[in-house]
Amino acid sequence: MSKKLSRYLEDIEKTEKKMAELKAHLEAVRQSQKADEDAEIVRSIRSMNVKGWDLLRLLDSIQNGTVELRPVEPAGNSGALNEDDTPETLPDFDEEDTGLDNQTPDEALESEE
Protein backbone atom coordinates (compact mmCIF):
# COMPACT_ATOMS: atom_id res chain seq x y z
CA MET A 1 0.00 0.00 0.00
CA SER A 2 1.24 3.49 -0.72
CA LYS A 3 2.38 5.83 2.02
CA LYS A 4 -0.33 8.30 1.08
CA LEU A 5 -3.12 5.74 1.57
CA SER A 6 -1.68 4.53 4.86
CA ARG A 7 -1.54 8.17 6.09
CA TYR A 8 -5.21 8.56 5.19
CA LEU A 9 -6.11 5.43 7.15
CA GLU A 10 -4.06 6.59 10.16
CA ASP A 11 -5.69 10.02 9.99
CA ILE A 12 -9.15 8.42 9.85
CA GLU A 13 -8.40 6.25 12.90
CA LYS A 14 -6.99 9.22 14.83
CA THR A 15 -10.00 11.38 13.95
CA GLU A 16 -12.49 8.67 14.93
CA LYS A 17 -10.70 8.21 18.26
CA LYS A 18 -10.76 11.96 18.89
CA MET A 19 -14.46 12.09 17.99
CA ALA A 20 -15.21 9.33 20.50
CA GLU A 21 -13.30 11.20 23.21
CA LEU A 22 -15.15 14.44 22.40
CA LYS A 23 -18.48 12.62 22.45
CA ALA A 24 -17.69 11.22 25.90
CA HIS A 25 -16.62 14.69 27.07
CA LEU A 26 -19.84 16.22 25.71
CA GLU A 27 -21.93 13.65 27.56
CA ALA A 28 -20.05 14.38 30.81
CA VAL A 29 -20.61 18.13 30.37
CA ARG A 30 -24.33 17.57 29.73
CA GLN A 31 -24.60 15.43 32.89
CA SER A 32 -22.85 18.16 34.90
CA GLN A 33 -25.19 20.77 33.46
CA LYS A 34 -28.25 18.72 34.41
CA ALA A 35 -26.93 18.17 37.93
CA ASP A 36 -26.34 21.92 38.36
CA GLU A 37 -29.80 22.72 36.96
CA ASP A 38 -31.38 20.22 39.37
CA ALA A 39 -29.47 21.75 42.29
CA GLU A 40 -30.62 25.24 41.24
CA ILE A 41 -34.24 24.07 41.09
CA VAL A 42 -33.97 22.61 44.59
CA ARG A 43 -32.39 25.85 45.90
CA SER A 44 -35.14 27.93 44.28
CA ILE A 45 -37.94 25.83 45.73
CA ARG A 46 -36.34 25.81 49.19
CA SER A 47 -35.84 29.58 49.11
CA MET A 48 -39.59 30.06 48.63
CA ASN A 49 -40.17 28.97 52.24
CA VAL A 50 -43.25 26.99 51.23
CA LYS A 51 -44.03 24.09 53.53
CA GLY A 52 -46.44 21.20 53.84
CA TRP A 53 -49.51 21.04 51.65
CA ASP A 54 -48.72 24.37 49.99
CA LEU A 55 -45.43 22.91 48.71
CA LEU A 56 -47.21 19.81 47.45
CA ARG A 57 -49.83 21.92 45.63
CA LEU A 58 -47.12 24.15 44.11
CA LEU A 59 -45.11 21.18 42.82
CA ASP A 60 -48.25 19.51 41.50
CA SER A 61 -49.22 22.73 39.68
CA ILE A 62 -45.77 22.97 38.12
CA GLN A 63 -45.97 19.37 36.91
CA ASN A 64 -49.50 19.87 35.55
CA GLY A 65 -48.46 23.01 33.73
CA THR A 66 -50.97 25.22 35.52
CA VAL A 67 -48.22 27.51 36.87
CA GLU A 68 -46.76 29.97 34.39
CA LEU A 69 -42.99 30.10 34.64
CA ARG A 70 -41.41 33.19 33.09
CA PRO A 71 -37.74 34.08 32.74
CA VAL A 72 -36.49 36.75 35.11
CA GLU A 73 -35.89 40.14 33.48
CA PRO A 74 -32.51 41.78 34.06
CA ALA A 75 -32.44 44.25 36.96
CA GLY A 76 -33.31 47.83 36.13
CA ASN A 77 -36.33 47.14 33.91
CA SER A 78 -39.38 48.96 35.19
CA GLY A 79 -42.20 46.62 36.05
CA ALA A 80 -39.97 43.55 35.82
CA LEU A 81 -40.30 40.77 38.34
CA ASN A 82 -37.43 40.15 40.68
CA GLU A 83 -36.15 36.67 41.42
CA ASP A 84 -37.95 36.76 44.78
CA ASP A 85 -41.32 37.77 43.29
CA THR A 86 -43.76 34.91 43.09
CA PRO A 87 -47.50 34.99 42.45
CA GLU A 88 -48.00 34.64 46.22
CA THR A 89 -45.93 37.77 47.01
CA LEU A 90 -47.26 40.08 44.30
CA PRO A 91 -50.03 42.47 45.35
CA ASP A 92 -53.56 41.96 44.06
CA PHE A 93 -54.84 44.86 41.96
CA ASP A 94 -58.43 45.60 41.05
CA GLU A 95 -59.39 47.37 37.85
CA GLU A 96 -60.08 50.44 40.01
CA ASP A 97 -56.48 50.48 41.20
CA THR A 98 -55.02 50.42 37.68
CA GLY A 99 -57.28 53.08 36.13
CA LEU A 100 -57.75 50.77 33.13
CA ASP A 101 -61.39 49.86 33.76
CA ASN A 102 -62.72 51.73 30.70
CA GLN A 103 -59.98 50.62 28.30
CA THR A 104 -60.08 47.71 25.91
CA PRO A 105 -57.23 45.18 26.23
CA ASP A 106 -55.58 46.63 23.10
CA GLU A 107 -55.70 50.17 24.49
CA ALA A 108 -54.28 48.96 27.79
CA LEU A 109 -51.34 47.33 26.05
CA GLU A 110 -50.60 50.46 24.04
CA SER A 111 -50.70 52.68 27.11
CA GLU A 112 -48.24 50.45 28.96
CA GLU A 113 -45.66 50.79 26.22
Side-chain angles (χ1 to χ4, degrees):
M1 192 173 348
S2 73
K3 289 183 181 183
K4 195 172 187 179
L5 288 177
S6 61
R7 271 190 264 145
Y8 286 141
L9 292 173
E10 289 172 7
D11 192 31
I12 289 170
E13 287 176 7
K14 188 184 345 178
T15 303
E16 288 174 344
K17 182 180 176 185
K18 194 171 193 176
M19 287 174 56
E21 290 171 359
L22 288 173
K23 187 175 180 181
H25 175 72
L26 179 61
E27 185 61 31
V29 170
R30 284 186 175 152
Q31 287 176 355
S32 296
Q33 178 189 12
K34 184 172 180 352
D36 286 348
E37 287 172 346
D38 290 348
E40 183 65 30
I41 291 167
V42 169
R43 277 194 299 275
S44 295
I45 296 294
R46 286 185 178 158
S47 72
M48 295 174 77
N49 294 323
V50 179
K51 304 261 187 248
W53 288 105
D54 292 333
L55 176 62
L56 183 62
R57 282 190 286 273
L58 173 67
L59 295 174
D60 190 46
S61 297
I62 291 171
Q63 288 178 341
N64 291 334
T66 56
V67 173
E68 180 180 336
L69 302 175
R70 294 176 281 171
V72 177
E73 297 282 333
N77 290 348
S78 61
L81 295 176
N82 296 327
E83 286 184 28
D84 297 333
D85 289 340
T86 61
E88 294 80 24
T89 61
L90 296 175
D92 292 325
F93 292 104
D94 295 332
E95 286 184 359
E96 297 170 3
D97 297 335
T98 63
L100 302 175
D101 51 344
N102 295 328
Q103 294 179 344
T104 64
D106 292 334
E107 290 172 343
L109 288 176
E110 290 174 6
S111 65
E112 291 175 1
E113 294 174 358

